[in-house]
Amino acid sequence: VPNAALVSRNGVASRQGVGHEGTSDSLNAFGVRFEAYGNRWTVELCTEDSDGDGQTNGMELGDPDCVWEIGRTPARTVDISHPGYADSTA
């Protein structure tokens, strides 16, 4: 997932995996969709709006064009928001 280590929710750094609720194994809206795509960052997952906040997962995670690949720097590394919660937008 692009910028996974930079994800924040309303300015507070995420302390768990991007797809998890708190520190539990429960999945948030993004985690459910990530799992459905085989735990892989795909163009389809990137273009979805998992949390229904009006921003695609790619926009929230700094990959608005859905071209990021593992080992590469995403298009944006600032203003990263959480794709699993509607109250967090970039």
Side-chain angles (χ1 to χ4, degrees):
V1 173
N3 289 310
L6 300 177
V7 172
S8 66
R9 183 177 181 195
N10 302 319
V12 177
S14 181
R15 297 186 190 277
Q16 75 279 1
V18 177
H20 293 272
E21 294 281 350
T23 57
S24 74
D25 289 334
S26 298
L27 300 176
N28 59 37
F30 177 77
V32 170
R33 299 306 299 149
F34 186 67
E35 184 176 69
Y37 285 106
N39 297 315
R40 292 181 24 247
W41 184 248
T42 65
V43 171
E44 294 81 9
L45 178 60
C46 180
T47 58
E48 285 187 10
D49 176 12
S50 294
D51 57 14
D53 63 3
Q55 294 187 331
T56 66
N57 297 326
M59 174 60 88
E60 294 200 75
L61 292 169
D63 183 24
D65 298 319
C66 302
V67 296
W68 176 80
E69 296 176 354
I70 294 173
R72 314 264 338 241
T73 301
R76 190 180 77 250
T77 58
V78 297
D79 297 324
I80 304 304
S81 59
H82 204 300
Y85 300 98
D87 65 354
S88 177
T89 57

